[in-house]
C-alpha cells in the first residue's frame, strides 16, 4: 500500500543534538549565513531551493539504501571490518541530508516533495540467500549508485564558487569516496563464493540500476538548465556538461569494473549525451 507523505525533517535538539554535533563537528563549522542573495532573481532562487531540497531527499533515499545494505552484510556474516566500514555510511548520509536541507533553508526554505517512505528504494530479492541479498545491495546501491555519484559530485564541487555550497559539496565528496569503492571491495570478497548463475543475477540487478540512471538522465535532458547570466544562485554544472560526464563515468567507473569481475551486463547503449551532440545542441 502506498502512503504519500511530505518530505519534512526535524531535529530533536538538546543533548541528542549536542552528541551528534560532537560526532560530526564539520556541520556547524560550515560558513552558514554568508550567502548574499541581494539582487538574485526570484526564478533562480526557486530553482536553487528546489535543487538543494531534491539533493536532501536523494541523500535521504541513499541513507535507506546504506541501511538495508548494512543489515544484509550482517546477515551474510561479511568480514567484520568490512561491515564496520559500512556502518559509517548511514551516518554520513544523514549528515549530507542535513547539509543539503540547511542549504535550501539559507536560500529561503525547502520546496515541497511528496514521497512514499516505504518505497524509496527497491529492496533485495526476499527469497535470495543472505550473501546474494548483500551482493545485490552492494551492486545496485554501491557499484552503480554510489560509484557514479562521485565524479558528478566532484565536478559540481569544482564549479561551485561561493564558500558555503563549496564547503558543503566538499564535505559530501570527501565522505562519498569511501562509499564509491565499498561495493567493489565487497564484490572482491564475495566473488569466490558466488556461482555463474549468481553473477548473471547480479548483472540483471546492475542493469536495473543502470536503467534507473538513464531514466533520471533522460528527465534531466528534457529539463535542461543552462543559465548563462552572472549571479546564478545555484551555480551547479550546466546540464550538457553534467550528462556528458555522467555517460563517460558510467562506462569507466561502473560498467567496466563490473564486467572485469565477470558480471555480465545487458544494458549497453550508445551514449545519448555525447560531447559532440551537446555542442551541436547549443550551437
Ligand atoms: Fe551522500
Ligand atoms: Fe553515499
Amino acid at each position: 500500500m502506498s502512503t504519500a507523505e511530505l518530505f519534512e525533517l526535524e531535529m530533536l535538539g538538546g543533548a541528542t543534538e549536542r552528541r551528534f554535533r560532537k560526532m560530526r563537528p564539520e556541520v556547524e563549522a560550515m560558513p552558514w549565513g554568508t550567502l548574499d542573495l541581494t539582487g538574485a532573481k526570484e526564478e533562480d532562487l526557486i530553482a536553487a531551493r528546489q535543487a538543494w531540497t531534491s539533493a536532501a531527499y536523494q541523500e535521504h533515499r541513499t541513507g535507506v539504501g546504506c541501511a538495508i545494505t548494512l543489515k544484509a552484510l550482517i546477515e551474510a556474516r561479511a568480514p567484520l571490518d568490512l561491515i564496520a566500514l559500512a556502518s559509517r555510511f548511514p551516518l554520513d548520509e544523514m549528515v549530507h541530508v542535513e547539509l543539503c536541507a540547511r542549504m535550501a533553508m539559507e536560500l529561503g526554505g525547502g520546496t515541497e516533495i511528496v514521497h512514499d517512505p516505504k518505497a524509496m528504494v527497491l529492496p533485495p530479492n526476499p527469497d535470495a540467500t543472505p550473501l546474494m541479498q548483500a551482493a545485490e545491495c552492494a551492486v545496485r546501491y554501491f557499484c552503480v549508485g554510489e560509484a557514479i555519484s562521485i565524479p558528478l559530485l566532484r565536478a559540481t564541487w569544482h564549479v561551485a564558487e561561493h564558500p558555503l555550497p563549496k564547503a558543503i559539496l566538499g564535505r559530501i565528496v570527501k565522505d562519498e569516496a569511501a562509499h564509491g569503492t565499498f561495493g567493489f571491495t565487497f564484490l572482491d570478497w564475495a566473488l569466490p563464493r558466488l556461482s555463474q548463475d549468481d553473477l548473471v543475477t547480479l548483472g540483471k540487478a546492475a542493469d536495473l540500476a543502470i536503467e534507473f540512471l538513464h531514466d533520471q538522465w533522460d528527465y534531466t535532458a528534457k529539463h535542461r538548465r543552462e543559465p548563462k547570466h552572472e549571479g546564478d544562485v545555484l551555480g551547479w554544472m550546466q546540464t550538457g556538461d553534467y550528462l556528458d560526464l555522467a555517460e563517460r563515468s558510467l562506462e569507466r567507473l561502473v560498467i567496466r569494473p563490473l564486467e572485469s569481475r565477470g558480471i555480465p551486463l545487458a544494458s549497453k547503449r550508445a551514449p545519448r549525451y555525447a560531447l559532440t551532440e551537446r555542442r551541436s545542441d547549443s550551437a
Side-chain angles (χ1 to χ4, degrees), residues 61-269:
R61 271 187 72 235
T62 310
V64 180
C66 290
I68 292 179
T69 305
L70 189 56
K71 176 176 179 279
L73 288 168
I74 295 171
E75 288 174 353
R77 296 186 307 285
L80 275 180
D81 47 358
L82 193 62
I83 299 175
L85 192 82
S87 69
R88 200 198 76 182
F89 299 161
L91 172 61
D92 289 344
E93 301 303 353
M94 292 308 103
V95 169
H96 302 167
V97 171
E98 185 188 2
L99 291 174
C100 295
R102 279 177 69 170
M103 183 66 208
M105 297 303 288
E106 298 264 325
L107 292 158
T111 55
E112 187 177 289
I113 291 182
V114 177
H115 73 307
D116 179 353
K118 299 300 285 178
M120 284 192 285
V121 300
L122 186 67
N125 175 6
D127 300 322
T129 62
L131 180 64
M132 272 302 282
Q133 285 191 344
E136 186 187 336
C137 290
V139 164
R140 281 200 288 110
Y141 304 143
F142 286 87
C143 297
V144 180
E146 296 285 87
I148 192 72
S149 76
I150 293 176
L152 297 171
L153 279 163
R154 195 183 298 125
T156 309
W157 166 79
H158 196 73
V159 299
E161 287 177 0
H162 189 280
L164 180 58
K166 189 111 185 159
I168 290 172
L169 289 162
R171 181 67 242 174
I172 295 176
V173 166
K174 210 169 183 180
D175 292 337
E176 295 294 352
H179 302 205
T181 52
F182 168 80
F184 294 104
T185 308
F186 170 85
L187 272 187
D188 290 339
W189 166 76
L191 281 175
R193 296 161 175 82
L194 299 174
S195 68
Q196 195 55 43
D197 283 352
D198 291 337
L199 297 188
V200 171
T201 303
L202 291 179
K204 286 179 182 155
D207 283 332
L208 196 67
I210 291 170
E211 197 49 48
F212 179 74
L213 287 178
H214 281 145
D215 288 347
Q216 279 186 325
W217 297 343
D218 287 346
Y219 179 87
T220 305
K222 280 191 199 119
H223 300 81
R224 280 173 182 268
R225 194 179 172 280
E226 308 201 316
K228 298 278 189 286
H229 56 273
E230 279 292 302
D232 170 46
V233 185
L234 185 58
W236 284 5
M237 293 171 80
Q238 305 274 310
T239 301
D241 294 337
Y242 180 92
L243 293 172
D244 180 46
L245 178 64
E247 292 279 14
R248 281 187 285 119
S249 303
L250 181 67
E251 180 64 32
R252 188 170 65 87
L253 299 172
V254 177
I255 292 176
R256 268 190 250 153
L258 282 172
E259 287 184 333
S260 74
R261 286 168 173 84
I263 295 179
L265 297 176
S267 55
K268 291 269 183 196
R269 74 165 194 181

